[in-house]
Structure formats: C-alpha cells, structure tokens
Amino acid sequence: MKGFLKRLIKLVLFFGVGILFVYLSVKDMTPEDFEILKASAAQATKGSAWIFLALSFLAGVTAHYIRALRSRQLLQPLGYEVRRSTSFIAVMVCYISNLAFPRLGEILRCTTLRQLERVPFEKTLGSVLTERVIDMIFLLLILLAAIFMNTDLLNTLMVDTDPATGLEISLGEKLSSVGYGFLHSYKFFIAFGVLAIGCLVIYWTRARWTKVPFFVKIKDFVVGMWQGLLSVKDLKNPTLFVIYTFVIWILYFLQSYFTFQAFDFLSGIGFVMVFTVFAIGNIGFVVGPGGLGAYPLLAAGTFILYGIDYNAGLAAGWVSWGVQTVMVLSVGFVALCTLSLMKKNKKNNGESLSDE
C-alpha cells in the first residue's frame, strides 16, 4: 500500500507539472486570443499542410530507428548482438511508457532486451545512461549554439534602463554585465571558496558518506555516467556512433522544421529561428511530462522574439508537440503489440523468458 501511494503521488506530481504549464500558457488569454489560436492551428489541416506533418512524423520515426541502431552499438563491446527490430521495439516501448509513467520506459526497455535478447538488465541500463548523458551534452551544445546565433537579436531587445544615463539596456548587455559583475565580485570568491572547502570535507569524510544509501546512489549514478562516456572509445566503430548521434539530432530538428512549414505565417522562416525554437523548446521535454504544456509555452515565447504573435506561436507549438506525441503513441502501440506477440511465440516454442 505504501509503495502504491508513493507511485501515485509521483504520478500526480508528474502530470501536475504539465497541467501547470498548460495553465500558464493560457491564463491571460482573452476569447479573441483563443480565436486566433484556433484559426492558427487550423492552418495545419488545410491544403498541402498534411505533407509537412507527414514528413515531420517520418523524421521522428527515423530518428528513433537510428537511436535503436546506436543503442545496439553500445551493447556490442559487451558481447551482445541485438537484432535491429528488437532494439527499435525496446526504444519505442520506452518512449510510449514514459508518456504514462515517469522513468518506467527505461525499466521496460531494459526488461524487453532481457526477455527477447537475454541481455542482463544492468548492462542495458548502463547503455541507456550513456545515451542520456550524451544526449544531454548535445542539448547543452545546441542551446549554446542558439545563443551565439542570436547575439544580434539579444542586443536589440531592450529590457532595462540605466538610472544614471536614462539609456535603454539590451538583454545582451544585461547578461554580460551580470556575468561580469559576478565574476569580479567578492561573492564569486566566497562561493568558490565554500565549494572548494565543501569538496575537501566530503573527500576527507568519504568513508562516512559511503554508508549513507542516498549518497551511495548518487555516487553510483555519477560513476556509471562517467564509465558510460568512457565506454564509447571501446566501440568497434566510434565514428559511426558519432554520425548516428548527429543524424538523430538533425532529424529532431527536421521534425520541428517540417511542422512549422505547415503554417502560412511561418512559411519562409529562416534556419536561425527554427533552430532557436527547436533548442529552447526541447527544454520542455526535460522539465515536463513528454513536453506537455512546457514545449508549446517555450516555443511560443521564443517565436515572440522574432515578431510572431504569441497565440499563433502557441498554436504552432501545440501542433508540433501533437505530431511528436501522436508518432510516439501510434508507433509505440504497434511496438507493444509486436512485443506481446514475440513473447507469446517464445512461450509457444517452449522458450523461457528470462525475467519470469
């Protein structure tokens, strides 16, 4: 009962975050704003818009298939040659499960490979952690690239006024002054000193920390991520692994690009705008359940920087999120059905499933 209540609370909080983002995106909207939102979203159903939505859907499926191929590579040095089809099914089962229950997908992905390919759970979990770390690094690099691409835009957005001169201060100048001021402030040296002392204390008393389960989990997690990153160099073809990673993120970008092309008010938009919305919007998939509410809100807020109406941008964000979610639900459902049939066939053939 206690475990069930704990999982229920986690689930409520998980979806509560998404509902909060949905509320924040519409709380100040008037009836006229909702009409603009509906009219803008309706553009994705007219004319040849469906072609772009189909291309976005296809780009998403292809990205997940490439992810499955990359996943196979991480298991090969461990002596496990997983079939492409099984790896793809495991990836899609992971994504559709995460839409319903947080972090359940990673567990089911590991158990799927254990059942069908006899890959030990901990081996698959290590490869999944490696993928997560690499994808997080790529996301950070994409965000940094988006910031550098928009240096001129940041310098044209006025966010404050200098009290001494009365001149307006741009967002770029504000960020630079805050960063410069912090680095040359005594607060920076105090923070650095406290951090250094804290690290020394933890190191000197590490024997005690290793007996606390919470800190043991943190240590194992960090060590596992580091070992996962180092394992990339042991791959049979590390160059192919890097190519797969780049292709995955290019296809993710194309998902957004194709969807935005379905809207008249976004036709002809430049690479920088799409890349920036893509970079910032992806944060929504980190902070919200499957990007629910968070992705459309962040996309709309980013579109405003380029002069796109908030309501129209919100509609584009919701349609983009919807295409990605429908893709995961439909392909993931097929993967679940296929997985069920494969498990049934194994039983009928007298083979035992390793986790039963």
Side-chain angles (χ1 to χ4, degrees):
M1 184 66 183
K2 196 179 206 179
F4 171 77
L5 184 60
K6 186 178 179 181
R7 288 192 294 270
L8 181 62
I9 292 174
K10 284 184 178 180
L11 186 62
V12 171
L13 291 175
F14 183 67
F15 283 102
V17 172
I19 294 172
L20 173 63
F21 281 117
V22 173
Y23 168 74
L24 291 175
S25 66
V26 301
K27 68 182 182 69
D28 296 323
M29 292 177 64
T30 64
E32 291 76 14
D33 292 330
F34 278 106
E35 289 301 319
I36 296 174
L37 176 66
K38 290 191 291 184
S40 300
Q43 290 186 15
T45 64
K46 298 177 180 177
S48 60
W50 68 270
I51 297 177
F52 291 109
L53 298 184
L55 288 172
S56 176
F57 186 100
L58 181 60
V61 175
T62 307
H64 292 325
Y65 181 73
I66 300 297
R67 178 177 290 278
L69 297 182
R70 190 183 68 171
S71 177
R72 291 177 70 245
Q73 269 198 292
L74 290 171
L75 294 173
Q76 286 171 347
L78 303 176
Y80 300 98
E81 196 66 41
V82 177
R83 288 169 292 180
R84 294 180 180 86
S85 57
T86 306
S87 184
F88 181 63
I89 289 171
V91 167
M92 294 314 305
V93 167
C94 172
Y95 277 102
I96 192 174
S97 301
N98 277 339
L99 289 180
F101 298 97
R103 299 301 160 230
L104 174 64
E106 282 72 16
I107 297 174
L108 291 181
R109 180 175 172 182
C110 296
T111 55
T112 297
L113 292 180
R114 182 173 64 179
Q115 291 172 345
L116 301 182
E117 300 287 350
R118 302 189 184 280
V119 181
F121 184 93
E122 62 276 9
K123 301 293 184 182
T124 307
L125 184 60
S127 68
V128 171
L129 284 176
T130 300
E131 288 188 73
R132 289 287 180 263
V133 173
I134 291 172
D135 287 334
M136 188 60 67
I137 291 173
F138 253 76
L139 179 57
L140 292 175
L141 291 175
I142 288 170
L143 285 170
L144 289 175
I147 292 173
F148 283 115
M149 287 180 182
N150 289 278
T151 302
D152 293 339
L153 177 63
L154 295 178
N155 289 330
T156 60
L157 294 172
M158 301 303 166
V159 295
D160 204 351
T161 303
D162 189 334
T165 62
L167 299 175
E168 290 184 314
I169 302 174
S170 69
L171 178 58
E173 293 172 332
K174 188 76 173 179
L175 292 174
S176 298
S177 63
V178 169
Y180 181 86
F182 179 73
L183 290 175
H184 290 77
S185 169
Y186 69 91
K187 295 179 182 178
F188 169 76
F189 295 100
I190 292 177
F192 182 80
V194 170
L195 179 62
I197 293 172
C199 290
L200 288 174
V201 170
I202 291 174
Y203 178 77
W204 287 330
T205 59
R206 62 187 182 279
R208 293 186 179 181
W209 298 113
T210 54
K211 297 178 182 178
V212 181
F214 175 74
F215 292 105
V216 171
K217 289 182 179 180
I218 293 177
K219 177 196 168 188
D220 292 342
F221 179 73
V222 173
V223 171
M225 288 194 301
W226 179 247
Q227 289 176 343
L229 287 174
L230 293 179
S231 68
V232 175
K233 65 180 176 57
D234 298 323
L235 297 176
K236 294 180 181 179
N237 193 343
T239 302
L240 183 60
F241 183 88
V242 174
I243 292 174
Y244 279 155
T245 303
F246 273 98
V247 171
I248 288 169
W249 284 95
I250 290 172
L251 288 168
Y252 284 162
F253 166 79
L254 289 176
Q255 272 189 289
S256 298
Y257 174 78
F258 287 136
T259 303
F260 297 153
Q261 289 298 313
F263 298 92
D264 292 338
F265 59 88
L266 293 178
S267 60
I269 58 177
F271 169 82
V272 174
M273 184 195 296
V274 181
F275 187 85
T276 305
V277 174
F278 163 71
I280 296 178
N282 264 296
I283 299 175
F285 289 99
V286 177
V287 300
L292 175 64
Y295 176 85
L297 178 61
L298 290 172
T302 308
F303 275 128
I304 291 177
L305 301 178
Y306 295 92
I308 304 297
D309 178 75
Y310 171 80
N311 304 303
L314 187 63
W318 272 111
V319 172
S320 181
W321 175 83
V323 171
Q324 296 181 53
T325 303
V326 168
M327 182 271 296
V328 170
L329 287 173
S330 57
V331 181
F333 177 74
V334 173
L336 284 172
C337 293
T338 306
L339 174 61
S340 178
L341 288 174
M342 293 174 73
K343 291 168 66 175
K344 187 176 180 180
N345 288 336
K346 289 195 75 171
K347 284 185 178 180
N348 291 338
N349 292 332
E351 299 179 46
S352 61
L353 298 178
S354 56
D355 68 336
E356 293 184 340

Short mmCIF file of all heavy atoms in Angstrom, two decimals, residues 39 232 313:
data_model
loop_
_atom_site.label_atom_id
_atom_site.label_comp_id
_atom_site.label_asym_id
_atom_site.label_seq_id
_atom_site.Cartn_x
_atom_site.Cartn_y
_atom_site.Cartn_z
N ALA A 39 -7.72 29.52 -35.08
CA ALA A 39 -7.55 29.80 -36.51
C ALA A 39 -6.14 29.46 -36.98
O ALA A 39 -5.94 28.94 -38.08
CB ALA A 39 -7.86 31.27 -36.79
N VAL A 232 32.50 4.63 -24.85
CA VAL A 232 32.32 4.96 -26.28
C VAL A 232 33.61 4.69 -27.06
O VAL A 232 33.58 4.24 -28.20
CB VAL A 232 31.88 6.43 -26.44
CG1 VAL A 232 31.83 6.82 -27.92
CG2 VAL A 232 30.52 6.65 -25.79
N GLY A 313 2.04 31.49 -32.34
CA GLY A 313 3.20 30.68 -31.97
C GLY A 313 2.82 29.55 -31.05
O GLY A 313 3.37 28.44 -31.15
#
